[in-house]
PDB file of all heavy atoms in Angstrom:
ATOM      1  N   HIS U   1       0.808  -1.232  -0.008  1.00  0.00           N
ATOM      2  CA  HIS U   1       0.036   0.042  -0.052  1.00  0.00           C
ATOM      3  C   HIS U   1       0.860   1.262   0.025  1.00  0.00           C
ATOM      4  O   HIS U   1       0.287   2.410  -0.078  1.00  0.00           O
ATOM      5  CB  HIS U   1      -0.898   0.052   1.211  1.00  0.00           C
ATOM      6  CG  HIS U   1      -2.232  -0.573   0.996  1.00  0.00           C
ATOM      7  ND1 HIS U   1      -2.450  -1.920   0.862  1.00  0.00           N
ATOM      8  CD2 HIS U   1      -3.512  -0.004   0.928  1.00  0.00           C
ATOM      9  CE1 HIS U   1      -3.664  -2.216   0.664  1.00  0.00           C
ATOM     10  NE2 HIS U   1      -4.386  -1.051   0.736  1.00  0.00           N
ATOM     11  N   TYR U   2       2.102   1.111   0.120  1.00  0.00           N
ATOM     12  CA  TYR U   2       3.006   2.333   0.244  1.00  0.00           C
ATOM     13  C   TYR U   2       3.738   2.774  -0.921  1.00  0.00           C
ATOM     14  O   TYR U   2       4.092   3.886  -1.091  1.00  0.00           O
ATOM     15  CB  TYR U   2       3.957   2.111   1.434  1.00  0.00           C
ATOM     16  CG  TYR U   2       3.284   1.727   2.683  1.00  0.00           C
ATOM     17  CD1 TYR U   2       3.248   0.434   3.212  1.00  0.00           C
ATOM     18  CD2 TYR U   2       2.664   2.727   3.450  1.00  0.00           C
ATOM     19  CE1 TYR U   2       2.533   0.170   4.397  1.00  0.00           C
ATOM     20  CE2 TYR U   2       2.038   2.482   4.610  1.00  0.00           C
ATOM     21  CZ  TYR U   2       1.986   1.171   5.062  1.00  0.00           C
ATOM     22  OH  TYR U   2       1.300   0.920   6.217  1.00  0.00           O
ATOM     23  N   GLU U   3       3.879   1.805  -1.916  1.00  0.00           N
ATOM     24  CA  GLU U   3       4.593   2.195  -3.165  1.00  0.00           C
ATOM     25  C   GLU U   3       3.546   2.400  -4.269  1.00  0.00           C
ATOM     26  O   GLU U   3       2.730   1.476  -4.527  1.00  0.00           O
ATOM     27  CB  GLU U   3       5.500   1.093  -3.529  1.00  0.00           C
ATOM     28  CG  GLU U   3       6.349   1.419  -4.729  1.00  0.00           C
ATOM     29  CD  GLU U   3       7.348   0.323  -5.084  1.00  0.00           C
ATOM     30  OE1 GLU U   3       7.380  -0.802  -4.451  1.00  0.00           O
ATOM     31  OE2 GLU U   3       8.015   0.458  -6.097  1.00  0.00           O
ATOM     32  N   THR U   4       3.477   3.524  -4.844  1.00  0.00           N
ATOM     33  CA  THR U   4       2.513   3.811  -5.865  1.00  0.00           C
ATOM     34  C   THR U   4       3.141   3.530  -7.283  1.00  0.00           C
ATOM     35  O   THR U   4       4.382   3.517  -7.419  1.00  0.00           O
ATOM     36  CB  THR U   4       2.060   5.320  -5.870  1.00  0.00           C
ATOM     37  OG1 THR U   4       3.117   6.114  -6.068  1.00  0.00           O
ATOM     38  CG2 THR U   4       1.316   5.583  -4.554  1.00  0.00           C
ATOM     39  N   HIS U   5       2.260   3.171  -8.223  1.00  0.00           N
ATOM     40  CA  HIS U   5       2.715   2.856  -9.551  1.00  0.00           C
ATOM     41  C   HIS U   5       1.821   3.630 -10.617  1.00  0.00           C
ATOM     42  O   HIS U   5       0.608   3.860 -10.299  1.00  0.00           O
ATOM     43  CB  HIS U   5       2.580   1.318  -9.826  1.00  0.00           C
ATOM     44  CG  HIS U   5       3.392   0.607  -8.816  1.00  0.00           C
ATOM     45  ND1 HIS U   5       4.752   0.382  -9.018  1.00  0.00           N
ATOM     46  CD2 HIS U   5       3.123   0.062  -7.640  1.00  0.00           C
ATOM     47  CE1 HIS U   5       5.234  -0.314  -7.979  1.00  0.00           C
ATOM     48  NE2 HIS U   5       4.223  -0.510  -7.142  1.00  0.00           N
ATOM     49  N   PRO U   6       2.301   3.881 -11.743  1.00  0.00           N
ATOM     50  CA  PRO U   6       1.508   4.707 -12.750  1.00  0.00           C
ATOM     51  C   PRO U   6       0.408   3.847 -13.430  1.00  0.00           C
ATOM     52  O   PRO U   6      -0.493   4.433 -13.852  1.00  0.00           O
ATOM     53  CB  PRO U   6       2.605   5.064 -13.741  1.00  0.00           C
ATOM     54  CG  PRO U   6       3.695   4.110 -13.623  1.00  0.00           C
ATOM     55  CD  PRO U   6       3.725   3.719 -12.220  1.00  0.00           C
ATOM     56  N   THR U   7       0.531   2.502 -13.519  1.00  0.00           N
ATOM     57  CA  THR U   7      -0.532   1.745 -14.186  1.00  0.00           C
ATOM     58  C   THR U   7      -0.731   0.480 -13.408  1.00  0.00           C
ATOM     59  O   THR U   7       0.077  -0.029 -12.651  1.00  0.00           O
ATOM     60  CB  THR U   7      -0.062   1.380 -15.630  1.00  0.00           C
ATOM     61  OG1 THR U   7       1.017   0.494 -15.527  1.00  0.00           O
ATOM     62  CG2 THR U   7       0.214   2.580 -16.431  1.00  0.00           C
ATOM     63  N   PRO U   8      -1.868  -0.244 -13.680  1.00  0.00           N
ATOM     64  CA  PRO U   8      -2.111  -1.518 -13.026  1.00  0.00           C
ATOM     65  C   PRO U   8      -1.171  -2.590 -13.450  1.00  0.00           C
ATOM     66  O   PRO U   8      -0.737  -3.493 -12.701  1.00  0.00           O
ATOM     67  CB  PRO U   8      -3.575  -1.869 -13.553  1.00  0.00           C
ATOM     68  CG  PRO U   8      -4.191  -0.619 -13.789  1.00  0.00           C
ATOM     69  CD  PRO U   8      -3.095   0.334 -14.315  1.00  0.00           C
ATOM     70  N   ARG U   9      -0.601  -2.540 -14.654  1.00  0.00           N
ATOM     71  CA  ARG U   9       0.458  -3.382 -15.175  1.00  0.00           C
ATOM     72  C   ARG U   9       1.625  -3.251 -14.358  1.00  0.00           C
ATOM     73  O   ARG U   9       2.250  -4.238 -13.903  1.00  0.00           O
ATOM     74  CB  ARG U   9       0.767  -3.153 -16.614  1.00  0.00           C
ATOM     75  CG  ARG U   9       1.879  -4.056 -17.195  1.00  0.00           C
ATOM     76  CD  ARG U   9       2.370  -3.675 -18.524  1.00  0.00           C
ATOM     77  NE  ARG U   9       1.354  -3.488 -19.493  1.00  0.00           N
ATOM     78  CZ  ARG U   9       1.081  -4.227 -20.514  1.00  0.00           C
ATOM     79  NH1 ARG U   9       1.828  -5.286 -20.753  1.00  0.00           N
ATOM     80  NH2 ARG U   9       0.151  -3.891 -21.356  1.00  0.00           N
ATOM     81  N   ASP U  10       2.046  -2.059 -13.973  1.00  0.00           N
ATOM     82  CA  ASP U  10       3.226  -1.805 -13.117  1.00  0.00           C
ATOM     83  C   ASP U  10       2.940  -2.378 -11.707  1.00  0.00           C
ATOM     84  O   ASP U  10       3.875  -2.878 -11.045  1.00  0.00           O
ATOM     85  CB  ASP U  10       3.599  -0.354 -13.125  1.00  0.00           C
ATOM     86  CG  ASP U  10       4.056   0.121 -14.418  1.00  0.00           C
ATOM     87  OD1 ASP U  10       4.843  -0.685 -15.166  1.00  0.00           O
ATOM     88  OD2 ASP U  10       3.722   1.274 -14.770  1.00  0.00           O
ATOM     89  N   VAL U  11       1.711  -2.267 -11.242  1.00  0.00           N
ATOM     90  CA  VAL U  11       1.354  -2.802  -9.948  1.00  0.00           C
ATOM     91  C   VAL U  11       1.551  -4.316  -9.959  1.00  0.00           C
ATOM     92  O   VAL U  11       2.033  -4.918  -9.026  1.00  0.00           O
ATOM     93  CB  VAL U  11      -0.116  -2.302  -9.494  1.00  0.00           C
ATOM     94  CG1 VAL U  11      -0.525  -3.097  -8.310  1.00  0.00           C
ATOM     95  CG2 VAL U  11      -0.119  -0.914  -9.262  1.00  0.00           C
ATOM     96  N   ALA U  12       1.016  -4.944 -11.019  1.00  0.00           N
ATOM     97  CA  ALA U  12       1.157  -6.414 -11.073  1.00  0.00           C
ATOM     98  C   ALA U  12       2.550  -6.890 -11.146  1.00  0.00           C
ATOM     99  O   ALA U  12       2.900  -7.849 -10.484  1.00  0.00           O
ATOM    100  CB  ALA U  12       0.356  -6.848 -12.314  1.00  0.00           C
ATOM    101  N   ARG U  13       3.387  -6.168 -11.926  1.00  0.00           N
ATOM    102  CA  ARG U  13       4.770  -6.482 -12.004  1.00  0.00           C
ATOM    103  C   ARG U  13       5.470  -6.345 -10.670  1.00  0.00           C
ATOM    104  O   ARG U  13       6.253  -7.207 -10.256  1.00  0.00           O
ATOM    105  CB  ARG U  13       5.486  -5.679 -13.059  1.00  0.00           C
ATOM    106  CG  ARG U  13       5.106  -6.062 -14.429  1.00  0.00           C
ATOM    107  CD  ARG U  13       5.740  -5.090 -15.490  1.00  0.00           C
ATOM    108  NE  ARG U  13       5.415  -5.512 -16.805  1.00  0.00           N
ATOM    109  CZ  ARG U  13       5.740  -4.739 -17.915  1.00  0.00           C
ATOM    110  NH1 ARG U  13       6.379  -3.575 -17.726  1.00  0.00           N
ATOM    111  NH2 ARG U  13       5.525  -5.255 -19.095  1.00  0.00           N
ATOM    112  N   ALA U  14       5.129  -5.275  -9.952  1.00  0.00           N
ATOM    113  CA  ALA U  14       5.775  -5.086  -8.650  1.00  0.00           C
ATOM    114  C   ALA U  14       5.278  -6.161  -7.673  1.00  0.00           C
ATOM    115  O   ALA U  14       6.117  -6.632  -6.831  1.00  0.00           O
ATOM    116  CB  ALA U  14       5.398  -3.697  -8.104  1.00  0.00           C
ATOM    117  N   ALA U  15       4.074  -6.587  -7.760  1.00  0.00           N
ATOM    118  CA  ALA U  15       3.542  -7.592  -6.876  1.00  0.00           C
ATOM    119  C   ALA U  15       4.256  -8.924  -7.094  1.00  0.00           C
ATOM    120  O   ALA U  15       4.611  -9.641  -6.169  1.00  0.00           O
ATOM    121  CB  ALA U  15       2.072  -7.796  -7.008  1.00  0.00           C
ATOM    122  N   VAL U  16       4.495  -9.267  -8.359  1.00  0.00           N
ATOM    123  CA  VAL U  16       5.263 -10.494  -8.735  1.00  0.00           C
ATOM    124  C   VAL U  16       6.608 -10.400  -8.085  1.00  0.00           C
ATOM    125  O   VAL U  16       7.085 -11.364  -7.510  1.00  0.00           O
ATOM    126  CB  VAL U  16       5.307 -10.624 -10.286  1.00  0.00           C
ATOM    127  CG1 VAL U  16       6.336 -11.692 -10.607  1.00  0.00           C
ATOM    128  CG2 VAL U  16       4.004 -10.980 -10.790  1.00  0.00           C
ATOM    129  N   ARG U  17       7.245  -9.311  -8.224  1.00  0.00           N
ATOM    130  CA  ARG U  17       8.582  -9.211  -7.584  1.00  0.00           C
ATOM    131  C   ARG U  17       8.553  -9.340  -6.079  1.00  0.00           C
ATOM    132  O   ARG U  17       9.335  -9.961  -5.433  1.00  0.00           O
ATOM    133  CB  ARG U  17       9.274  -7.825  -7.978  1.00  0.00           C
ATOM    134  CG  ARG U  17       9.656  -7.741  -9.439  1.00  0.00           C
ATOM    135  CD  ARG U  17      10.502  -6.478  -9.640  1.00  0.00           C
ATOM    136  NE  ARG U  17       9.853  -5.252  -9.334  1.00  0.00           N
ATOM    137  CZ  ARG U  17       9.016  -4.529 -10.113  1.00  0.00           C
ATOM    138  NH1 ARG U  17       8.746  -4.943 -11.344  1.00  0.00           N
ATOM    139  NH2 ARG U  17       8.500  -3.432  -9.677  1.00  0.00           N
ATOM    140  N   ASP U  18       7.531  -8.620  -5.432  1.00  0.00           N
ATOM    141  CA  ASP U  18       7.404  -8.707  -4.005  1.00  0.00           C
ATOM    142  C   ASP U  18       6.990 -10.097  -3.457  1.00  0.00           C
ATOM    143  O   ASP U  18       7.475 -10.518  -2.447  1.00  0.00           O
ATOM    144  CB  ASP U  18       6.304  -7.702  -3.472  1.00  0.00           C
ATOM    145  CG  ASP U  18       6.827  -6.290  -3.603  1.00  0.00           C
ATOM    146  OD1 ASP U  18       8.085  -6.002  -3.806  1.00  0.00           O
ATOM    147  OD2 ASP U  18       5.978  -5.348  -3.565  1.00  0.00           O
ATOM    148  N   LEU U  19       6.195 -10.805  -4.196  1.00  0.00           N
ATOM    149  CA  LEU U  19       5.825 -12.166  -3.841  1.00  0.00           C
ATOM    150  C   LEU U  19       6.979 -13.168  -3.911  1.00  0.00           C
ATOM    151  O   LEU U  19       7.017 -14.091  -3.167  1.00  0.00           O
ATOM    152  CB  LEU U  19       4.634 -12.692  -4.803  1.00  0.00           C
ATOM    153  CG  LEU U  19       3.257 -12.073  -4.553  1.00  0.00           C
ATOM    154  CD1 LEU U  19       2.356 -12.359  -5.629  1.00  0.00           C
ATOM    155  CD2 LEU U  19       2.704 -12.463  -3.193  1.00  0.00           C
ATOM    156  N   ASN U  20       7.904 -12.886  -4.708  1.00  0.00           N
ATOM    157  CA  ASN U  20       9.143 -13.727  -4.803  1.00  0.00           C
ATOM    158  C   ASN U  20       8.756 -15.177  -4.914  1.00  0.00           C
ATOM    159  O   ASN U  20       9.327 -16.002  -4.166  1.00  0.00           O
ATOM    160  CB  ASN U  20      10.065 -13.372  -3.665  1.00  0.00           C
ATOM    161  CG  ASN U  20      11.456 -13.862  -3.906  1.00  0.00           C
ATOM    162  OD1 ASN U  20      11.930 -14.042  -5.059  1.00  0.00           O
ATOM    163  ND2 ASN U  20      12.222 -14.062  -2.828  1.00  0.00           N
ATOM    164  N   GLY U  21       7.853 -15.522  -5.745  1.00  0.00           N
ATOM    165  CA  GLY U  21       7.499 -16.958  -5.969  1.00  0.00           C
ATOM    166  C   GLY U  21       6.315 -17.421  -5.134  1.00  0.00           C
ATOM    167  O   GLY U  21       5.734 -18.475  -5.425  1.00  0.00           O
ATOM    168  N   ALA U  22       5.926 -16.681  -4.112  1.00  0.00           N
ATOM    169  CA  ALA U  22       4.767 -17.091  -3.230  1.00  0.00           C
ATOM    170  C   ALA U  22       3.528 -16.909  -4.034  1.00  0.00           C
ATOM    171  O   ALA U  22       3.362 -16.124  -4.970  1.00  0.00           O
ATOM    172  CB  ALA U  22       4.752 -16.301  -1.977  1.00  0.00           C
ATOM    173  N   SER U  23       2.490 -17.625  -3.601  1.00  0.00           N
ATOM    174  CA  SER U  23       1.115 -17.530  -4.221  1.00  0.00           C
ATOM    175  C   SER U  23       0.326 -16.412  -3.464  1.00  0.00           C
ATOM    176  O   SER U  23       0.554 -16.132  -2.304  1.00  0.00           O
ATOM    177  CB  SER U  23       0.346 -18.859  -4.083  1.00  0.00           C
ATOM    178  OG  SER U  23       0.996 -19.838  -4.814  1.00  0.00           O
ATOM    179  N   LEU U  24      -0.583 -15.871  -4.255  1.00  0.00           N
ATOM    180  CA  LEU U  24      -1.591 -14.903  -3.593  1.00  0.00           C
ATOM    181  C   LEU U  24      -2.529 -15.609  -2.682  1.00  0.00           C
ATOM    182  O   LEU U  24      -2.986 -16.739  -3.063  1.00  0.00           O
ATOM    183  CB  LEU U  24      -2.312 -14.150  -4.682  1.00  0.00           C
ATOM    184  CG  LEU U  24      -1.640 -13.042  -5.401  1.00  0.00           C
ATOM    185  CD1 LEU U  24      -2.480 -12.475  -6.480  1.00  0.00           C
ATOM    186  CD2 LEU U  24      -1.364 -11.902  -4.432  1.00  0.00           C
ATOM    187  N   VAL U  25      -2.846 -15.081  -1.606  1.00  0.00           N
ATOM    188  CA  VAL U  25      -3.866 -15.647  -0.706  1.00  0.00           C
ATOM    189  C   VAL U  25      -5.119 -14.845  -0.870  1.00  0.00           C
ATOM    190  O   VAL U  25      -5.061 -13.517  -0.893  1.00  0.00           O
ATOM    191  CB  VAL U  25      -3.402 -15.620   0.715  1.00  0.00           C
ATOM    192  CG1 VAL U  25      -4.481 -16.109   1.681  1.00  0.00           C
ATOM    193  CG2 VAL U  25      -2.096 -16.394   0.894  1.00  0.00           C
TER     194      VAL U  25
END
C-alpha cells in the first residue's frame, strides 16, 4: 500500500517481484 505505480500493469509486476514466488492468498 505504500509504493504507488503509474498503471495496473506496473502494480502487477511489482507484486510479482514482492511475492518472490509465493502464491496470492
